[in-house]
Amino acid sequence: QVQLVESGGGLVQPGGSLRLSCAASGFTTDFWAIAWFRQAPGKEREGISCISNSGTITQYAHSVKGRFTIARDNATNTVYLHLNSLKPEDTAVYYCASDHWPVGCTLRNVYDYWGQGTQVTVSS
């Protein structure tokens, strides 16, 4: 059974940084892509970044490109999302998601496995 556990959220001032972690377990096959989504109150869930199984292919939403960086450590089955230059509009619950994806990854909301989410609040 695939399990995803996010951590690292919290309260940060505008311009600050956070590092989110997604610890994955239970994969029974290879080629798992992992993505980060976020959902702010009253808004739809938004795919913001994803990374291929090999880590060589990444994608970013326009809203976070240049500020957020995704990376994965396959030795520990952990994916990180580095959030820099945070803005109040980045406030949301952040989720990691995963699914079998042979090549690349996607920001579309089509993943079967989800974590419980971690709250990120950007406020002074």
Side-chain angles (χ1 to χ4, degrees), residues 4 11 13 32 38 40 42 55 83-85 90 92 96-97 105 121 124:
L4 304 171
L11 173 65
Q13 292 187 342
W32 290 86
R38 67 184 181 186
L83 288 62
N84 298 311
S85 302
D90 293 319
C96 66
C105 62
T121 302
S124 55

Side-chain angles (χ1 to χ4, degrees), residues 83-98:
L83 288 62
N84 298 311
S85 302
L86 282 162
K87 307 174 182 179
E89 51 264 42
D90 293 319
T91 295
V93 178
Y94 284 68
Y95 300 89
C96 66
S98 187

Side-chain angles (χ1 to χ4, degrees), residues 27-117:
F27 295 139
T28 58
T29 61
D30 292 331
F31 305 108
W32 290 86
I34 292 187
W36 284 94
F37 289 75
R38 67 184 181 186
Q39 189 165 21
K43 294 189 176 182
E44 291 187 357
R45 191 168 293 189
E46 172 191 20
I48 56 172
S49 186
C50 67
I51 189 166
S52 64
N53 182 78
S54 65
T56 58
I57 298 172
T58 58
Q59 293 188 49
Y60 297 93
H62 178 73
S63 57
V64 306
K65 198 168 187 178
R67 299 188 299 123
F68 293 6
T69 303
I70 193 169
R72 71 187 292 164
D73 181 351
N74 282 346
T76 61
N77 284 340
T78 303
V79 172
Y80 302 98
L81 187 67
H82 299 266
L83 288 62
N84 298 311
S85 302
L86 282 162
K87 307 174 182 179
E89 51 264 42
D90 293 319
T91 295
V93 178
Y94 284 68
Y95 300 89
C96 66
S98 187
D99 212 330
H100 180 66
W101 207 267
V103 178
C105 62
T106 181
L107 296 181
R108 292 182 291 125
N109 190 349
V110 296
Y111 291 84
D112 283 340
Y113 303 99
W114 293 81
Q116 82 288 350

Side-chain angles (χ1 to χ4, degrees), residues 3-27:
Q3 287 191 319
L4 304 171
V5 180
E6 302 97 334
S7 61
L11 173 65
V12 63
Q13 292 187 342
S17 299
L18 282 175
R19 187 185 76 166
L20 306 184
S21 300
C22 173
S25 62
F27 295 139

